[in-house]
Amino acid sequence: MLDKEREYYSDTIHYIAGVDEAGRGPLAGPVVAAAVVLPPDFQSEEINDSKQLTEKKREALYDLIIENAIAYSINFASADEIDVINIYEATRKTMVKCLMEIKGKYDLVITDAMPIKNLHVPVIPMVKGDAQCLNIAAASILAKVTRDRWLKDLDAKYPEYGFAKHKGYGTKLHLEALEKYGPIDHIHRKTFGPVKRYYFVQETLF
């Protein structure tokens, strides 16, 4: 069971917000961040880093987290925004937005390795926090499920790209679709790898 944050509860720290993201690496789609505040006495043997769980398990735990959280918030940064300010800043900005919008009190923030400044409470950027802290793992699940659902909806609109399968990552299937159909404006990240090369070719041709 993940319980690293129990080391931080004290007379002054009663509620901890865990923050994580999904989608920093893909070639398409938004990056999604989530912040979660679970009750200090809440326990779960099942909640873990979203990458360690099956899709079916994540979906079930999504509902469990929503039902039990004291507060939570989920936000997106679009592919266009990522291209303008870069993926790192887009991720950080989206995490901050989650914390600003979260409805509930928290005394400490623990992120999955992302430093955040100028908050009204202390912030601990913890390396591999999603594999140690229950609140961060819960946030990773909310972010991952939300992003995957977004990609499934996109797949219905552009079935030829296979978004429901590769979730925007640079898999062989996705790269083959890019080669055949080209990138989708406002969906593919123009500053990322194979997508960037496609736009560079366009610019040199015209």
Side-chain angles (χ1 to χ4, degrees):
M1 182 175 66
L2 309 185
D3 60 359
K4 181 70 174 179
E5 59 260 79
R6 293 188 180 280
E7 297 178 8
Y8 298 97
Y9 287 117
S10 68
D11 291 339
T12 57
I13 297 176
H14 303 287
Y15 301 104
I16 296 174
V19 186
D20 203 359
E21 53 73 30
R24 286 180 69 169
L27 306 179
V31 63
V32 180
V36 177
V37 181
L38 290 168
D41 59 352
F42 178 79
Q43 296 182 341
S44 172
E45 296 285 350
E46 297 180 299
I47 293 175
N48 200 348
D49 171 12
S50 63
K51 297 184 291 296
Q52 305 301 318
L53 304 170
T54 65
E55 182 175 357
K56 183 178 180 180
K57 176 61 72 174
R58 287 194 298 266
E59 286 284 350
L61 290 174
Y62 180 97
D63 292 335
L64 177 72
I65 293 163
I66 296 298
E67 291 167 3
N68 287 276
I70 294 173
Y72 70 92
S73 177
I74 304 169
N75 275 286
F76 296 70
S78 69
D80 288 341
E81 187 171 6
I82 291 167
D83 286 334
V84 171
I85 65 176
N86 75 55
I87 185 61
Y88 182 87
E89 287 303 321
T91 301
R92 185 192 60 79
K93 181 179 178 181
T94 308
M95 287 180 169
V96 171
K97 188 175 181 181
C98 285
L99 291 166
M100 293 298 100
E101 291 185 0
I102 202 166
K103 296 179 180 179
K105 182 180 183 296
Y106 52 91
D107 309 300
L108 176 71
V109 172
I110 307 180
T111 73
D112 188 27
M114 175 64 75
I116 298 176
K117 299 180 180 180
N118 301 320
L119 288 184
H120 65 286
V121 299
V123 178
I124 298 174
M126 184 179 296
V127 176
K128 296 184 179 179
D130 53 2
Q132 301 183 71
C133 292
L134 190 66
N135 285 277
I136 298 179
S140 78
I141 292 169
L142 295 194
K144 174 65 173 169
V145 170
T146 299
R147 188 176 190 279
D148 284 357
R149 290 175 178 176
W150 190 94
L151 268 297
K152 286 181 181 179
D153 289 342
L154 186 69
D155 185 77
K157 187 174 182 180
Y158 301 101
E160 66 273 19
Y161 285 85
F163 288 116
K165 294 181 179 179
H166 55 66
K167 304 300 191 297
Y169 285 89
T171 65
K172 180 181 178 182
L173 175 65
H174 193 181
L175 294 177
E176 288 174 349
L178 271 174
E179 181 68 24
K180 186 174 182 179
Y181 304 108
I184 306 169
D185 286 340
H186 312 299
I187 298 297
H188 282 96
R189 303 173 183 179
K190 296 180 181 180
T191 53
F192 277 49
V195 185
K196 182 178 182 180
R197 289 196 293 272
Y198 176 88
Y199 282 99
F200 177 75
V201 169
Q202 280 192 327
E203 291 169 1
T204 57
L205 287 176
F206 298 97

